[in-house]
Amino acid sequence: MGVGFVSAAAGSAGVSLRPATCAKSSLFGSSLGHRQGIRAVRSSVRMTATAESTTSKSTSVKDLFIPEDQVASKREEAESLYKIHITEVDYQWVHVLSEGWASPVKGFMREDEYVQVLHFNSIRQEDGTVTNMSVPIVLAINDDDKAEIEKTGKVALRSPSGEVIAIMRNCEIFWHNKEERAARSFGVTDGRHPYIDEIYSGGDWLVGGDLEVFDRIRYEDGLDDYRLTPAELQAEFEKRGADTVFVFQLRNPIHNGHALLMTSCREHLLEMGYKNPILLVHQIGGKVKADDIPLKERIMQNQAVLEEGVLDPKTTIVGIFPSPMLYGGPTEVQWHAKARMNAGCEYYIVGRDPAGMKHPNGERDLYDPWHGKKVLGTAPGLEKLNILPFRVAAYDKTIGRMAFFDPSRADDFLFISGTKMRGYASRGETPPDGFMAPAAWKILVDYYSNVRSYDI
């Protein structure tokens, strides 16, 4: 059975993944039921999955975890190695790499991979096949780190909290041309761009190598059960009897326009002949801009949408994608799609300005809002990805709810942008009835109320 994939990245919205068969306090039913459900999935994956997991019509996915019988000896080895502290974003990339989201990439990129990604948005494998890879996954180091790593060709990585989490072997060190990296990745070199600021803050060298990770990355933030690996997602799809999976990626809360789009997508898939389409709502789990709503509140809000029945909990999975947000527009949207294809998915619906943001000068959109959709239809290495049509939803004043925009009566519609939505919530105001589930809206109002109290 091929598992299909429809991912929607609409406006500043993104895509999200996570299992849901929820009742009140969780997506698997009760909170206890939810935890037991996730543990059952993970136990099943551990018993049946090897280091390489493959589903129909998907690429092979390899995680980078050290086998249990080698952990002790390699921990001992790590103690003897030079160690570098990695940043929060680097830690999130270790998470991504370790679980196979970037497979077949085997670690932080060496120069040959880096150059291909930077200039071609893809990597040619040894067998001649081309794998889409549009964002550099690299580790910046300083002069002192460079000198120490060159002595052995190996390095141990410490998390931001100081724990040794991985070894990198067969290291290759090369110059970090920060301006070129920014220009090729984002089309601008302005340090006010949030991810370009990360680049400019990094060291003058990049080190790549084969990554070996000791343990699964956990954050102990109450959200780890949402962070299913590609292999665990495949197991959950199979458990639910999915014959296709469609995905809506977000870094924002879900309003009823999003829900209308997702419901419409499912209906379209049923019309195509699928019997049990499963929806994945996949929140970006890594670092986001300071003015984006934090992950915890986004997940709580998504759960409230399910609990109020706006989306069907039996056919909806809510989850967390561990990647940081790059705000790379058409370049980054390829990464979002490629990573989900590694979970065995085939269909992707993309809307206006995926992974976009305003230009750092604030005067215009940084990227052409429709180039993301065009790119996904032509990108090398994404040939097996199918794009489904996207329809724009807005608030229809004549019926008092979200509906698909009808340009013949444009004056009847109100577009409530993410900025406008955040403005309503931060002032404690209520949006028009039918814009968002009331319990879900209250979570946003409470969050902004706490922010105001903290600022005071």
Side-chain angles (χ1 to χ4, degrees), residues 71 81 129 190 195 229 231 369 396:
V71 168
L81 295 177
T129 59
D190 193 320
Y195 204 86
T229 69
D396 188 337

Side-chain angles (χ1 to χ4, degrees), residues 42 95 216 219 221 223-229 295 320:
R42 289 181 172 161
H95 187 171
R216 184 164 181 164
Y219 300 84
D221 57 359
L223 302 177
D224 283 332
D225 280 349
Y226 290 89
R227 297 181 174 99
L228 296 187
T229 69
L295 179 62
I320 295 172

